[in-house]
């Protein structure tokens, strides 16, 4: 199963990178398979440093901004417990991990990681239909170089209806941010 969340990694210079990621997981969450593109900061950082944190979060605005590398400012963080890395303060759960293997024979690498520490930071509010729609829109926005723009815009119209009917302020702001990105053609 793929579980959408956010990964924090460290650059070779020690700066924090925040990126959405949907690793393959099982119910035990002891090992994850991250599948970043080899052109991504996350891939390069994990090849260099080999540690990171996977976060389960219901903050779709952060996911949208991170997906397009448009964080206005870094979210609040604190040092990880067992690795050299950073935990998102407002996440629901955090899984500190170490890389145990990298298969980079394809455009998207398979990075096997082992969870070395797990922490619960707050209750998971849950996903309503609007939160799901924003996650789908964020994924589409990152694929505008791969998909016909007319197809992306058609999907955005459908997803926009869901956000308007079922979303709160955070979901509406996140969707407006993504829609603006796609409509400006900055991809």
């Amino acid at each position: 199963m793929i579980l959408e969340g956010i990964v924090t990694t460290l650059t070779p210079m020690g700066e924090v990178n925040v990126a959405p990621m949907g690793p393959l997981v099982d119910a035990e969450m002891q090992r994850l398979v991250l599948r970043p593109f080899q052109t991504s900061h996350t891939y390069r950082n994990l090849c260099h440093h080999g540690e990171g944190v996977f976060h389960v979060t219901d903050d779709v605005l952060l996911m949208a901004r991170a997906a397009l590398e448009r964080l206005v400012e870094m979210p609040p963080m604190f040092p990880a417990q067992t690795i050299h890395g950073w935990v998102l303060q407002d996440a629901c759960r955090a899984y500190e991990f170490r890389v145990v293997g990298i298969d980079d024979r394809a455009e998207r690498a398979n990075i096997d990681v082992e969870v070395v520490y797990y922490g619960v930071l707050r209750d998971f509010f849950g996903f309503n239909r609007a939160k799901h729609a924003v996650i789908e829109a964020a994924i589409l926005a990152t694929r505008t170089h791969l998909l016909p723009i007319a197809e992306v815009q058609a999907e955005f119209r459908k997803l926009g209806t869901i956000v308007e009917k079922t979303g709160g302020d955070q979901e509406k702001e996140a969707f407006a941010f993504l829609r603006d990105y796609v409509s400006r053609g900055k991809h």
Side-chain angles (χ1 to χ4, degrees), residues 60 127-137 159 162 171:
V60 293
F127 283 120
N128 64 6
R129 291 179 66 212
K131 288 186 183 287
H132 285 287
V134 170
I135 291 170
E136 290 302 320
L159 295 169
I162 294 169
E171 295 80 20

Side-chain angles (χ1 to χ4, degrees), residues 21-32:
M21 182 76 48
L24 297 169
V25 302
D26 61 17
E28 288 78 38
M29 295 286 292
Q30 293 300 305
R31 290 180 83 96
L32 315 173

Side-chain angles (χ1 to χ4, degrees), residues 128 130 163 166-173:
N128 64 6
V163 172
T166 66
D169 292 341
Q170 183 192 79
E171 295 80 20
K172 289 176 183 176
E173 182 181 348

